[in-house]
Amino acid sequence: MTKKKCSRYSGIGGQAVLEGVMMKNKEKYAVAVRRPDGGISVEVDNYTGVLGGKRVKELPFVRGVFNFVDSMILGTRCLNLSASFYAEEEEEETGKAESGAGDKIMTTLVTCISIVLALGIFVVLPYYLTSLLKGYIRNQSLMTIIEGGMRILIFILYVWGISAMKDIRRLYRYHGAEHKCINCIEKGRPLTVDNAMRSSRLHKRCGTSFLFFVLFVSIVLFFFIRVENPAARVGLRILLMPVVAGISYEIIRLAGRSDNIVVQLISAPGMAIQRMTTKEPDRDMVEVAISAVEAVFDWKGYLAEKFGYEMDEDEEEENGDESIAAAEDAL
């Protein structure tokens, strides 16, 4: 096959979970986890989002808000699911029997708490710290820029700080495995462990890049929208976060579908921060990520449609051998 420099948008995305990876394609998602016994377990389900299939979710700048909320809810659900694989068999059965309304309430509660904490750390705290400089800086425009810079600094320090935790570092390695698999197929390569390992662990559609765009867009927006009352100023920043999320989503959506120089430039800071939130995975981690991809996405059909690539018999056999080897290791 002729090498392709440009990537092709696949539509799949995902996240790292405890000892595994979640991959989502349209409304279908799969969570693949490396069990304590060495095998790989895969759970497949559908998630239609908080608004189901309503068309309002497809409106530009509106869809980003619901996409963010859906990502939080589904992410929490998948983290809980991955953790369940490490419970005792009896406890796991009990958890399944009691799932339903209780799980939904817990997921909603955790999501709400996460949003409140994020607003407190990345919106209210930077504003408070910047307000301490009022006696020294009179220029309101400069204060707004300093507040935005403070917000980005806190975000970077937060990411760097939690990366010191052993469990988080391992989670970041699975994050790298997720990106490698998506990059592998979007570059037109068959999804094998070897090809994925050679692929980049950074991706323009990553949630880390989205969060950076949120911070950057908030700086620009708050620079032009100002009020004098301190309490109203904080409240306005919180109320405008859905607007910021909507704009940021459109930017990252564009970044995922284009390779032009402008997109590369605006994506560069987020890609740089991804060097902290992703780490190089091992082959076992990539195998788990591949299992998640194959449960929701026909990558062979994708390569044939987007790249005109058809696997020959030798490649099919080689890919099959890898799958058999992985299955034997799981036994």
Side-chain angles (χ1 to χ4, degrees), residues 227-239:
V227 292
E228 294 299 325
N229 184 277
R233 200 175 301 157
V234 173
L236 186 64
R237 277 157 169 68
I238 294 174
L239 290 175

Side-chain angles (χ1 to χ4, degrees), residues 5-255:
K5 292 184 178 180
C6 296
S7 61
R8 299 286 188 272
Y9 175 72
S10 66
I12 61 172
Q15 71 169 60
V17 297
L18 179 64
E19 289 300 324
V21 170
M22 181 274 285
M23 287 290 185
K24 186 173 185 293
N25 179 33
K26 298 178 181 177
E27 295 180 350
K28 190 176 182 181
Y29 72 93
V31 179
V33 173
R34 180 72 72 177
R35 300 193 308 269
D37 62 6
I40 299 175
S41 289
V42 182
E43 293 281 343
V44 181
D45 205 345
N46 290 322
Y47 179 71
T48 57
V50 292
L51 290 182
K54 294 183 179 180
R55 291 186 178 181
V56 67
K57 291 177 61 177
E58 300 303 319
L59 294 175
F61 300 104
V62 174
R63 57 192 171 194
V65 180
F66 294 106
N67 182 273
F68 175 72
V69 174
D70 286 340
S71 296
M72 293 284 290
I73 294 173
L74 182 59
T76 302
R77 180 184 298 180
C78 292
L79 283 170
N80 291 337
L81 178 60
S82 65
S84 72
F85 286 107
Y86 283 77
E88 294 294 330
E89 184 176 356
E90 294 180 0
E91 294 177 350
E92 186 176 348
E93 291 177 356
T94 302
K96 288 182 179 179
E98 296 176 352
S99 64
D103 286 348
K104 289 182 179 179
I105 292 173
M106 181 58 67
T107 298
T108 302
L109 181 62
V110 172
T111 301
C112 291
I113 292 174
S114 300
I115 292 175
V116 170
L117 287 175
L119 289 173
I121 295 173
F122 301 115
V123 177
V124 179
L125 180 60
Y127 173 77
Y128 171 74
L129 294 176
T130 306
S131 67
L132 299 177
L133 302 175
K134 275 187 177 181
Y136 307 95
I137 301 174
R138 300 290 183 182
N139 189 302
Q140 188 60 44
S141 297
L142 181 58
M143 288 284 286
T144 303
I145 294 173
I146 292 175
E147 180 188 345
M150 191 83 69
R151 190 173 292 114
I152 293 176
L153 178 61
I154 290 173
F155 174 65
I156 293 175
L157 289 176
Y158 172 80
V159 170
W160 175 77
I162 64 173
S163 66
M165 301 169 61
K166 182 179 178 181
D167 290 341
I168 296 297
R169 287 200 304 271
R170 190 160 181 84
L171 192 73
Y172 284 172
R173 295 181 73 188
Y174 275 106
H175 190 191
E178 173 221 331
H179 284 183
K180 280 177 175 287
C181 287
I182 296 175
N183 278 321
C184 178
I185 60 176
E186 290 189 340
K187 287 293 185 180
R189 306 185 188 109
L191 187 57
T192 65
V193 174
D194 289 336
N195 285 341
M197 289 294 289
R198 288 193 292 267
S199 299
S200 173
R201 74 174 197 265
L202 310 180
H203 198 282
K204 288 184 292 186
R205 288 189 286 113
C206 175
T208 303
S209 293
F210 170 76
L211 291 176
F212 176 81
F213 284 135
V214 166
L215 299 176
F216 179 76
V217 170
S218 68
I219 295 175
V220 177
L221 197 63
F222 298 155
F223 184 85
F224 293 103
I225 302 176
R226 305 177 188 176
V227 292
E228 294 299 325
N229 184 277
R233 200 175 301 157
V234 173
L236 186 64
R237 277 157 169 68
I238 294 174
L239 290 175
L240 285 175
M241 288 314 296
V243 178
V244 172
I247 296 172
S248 302
Y249 178 79
E250 297 304 319
I251 297 175
I252 201 167
R253 192 171 186 271
L254 173 64

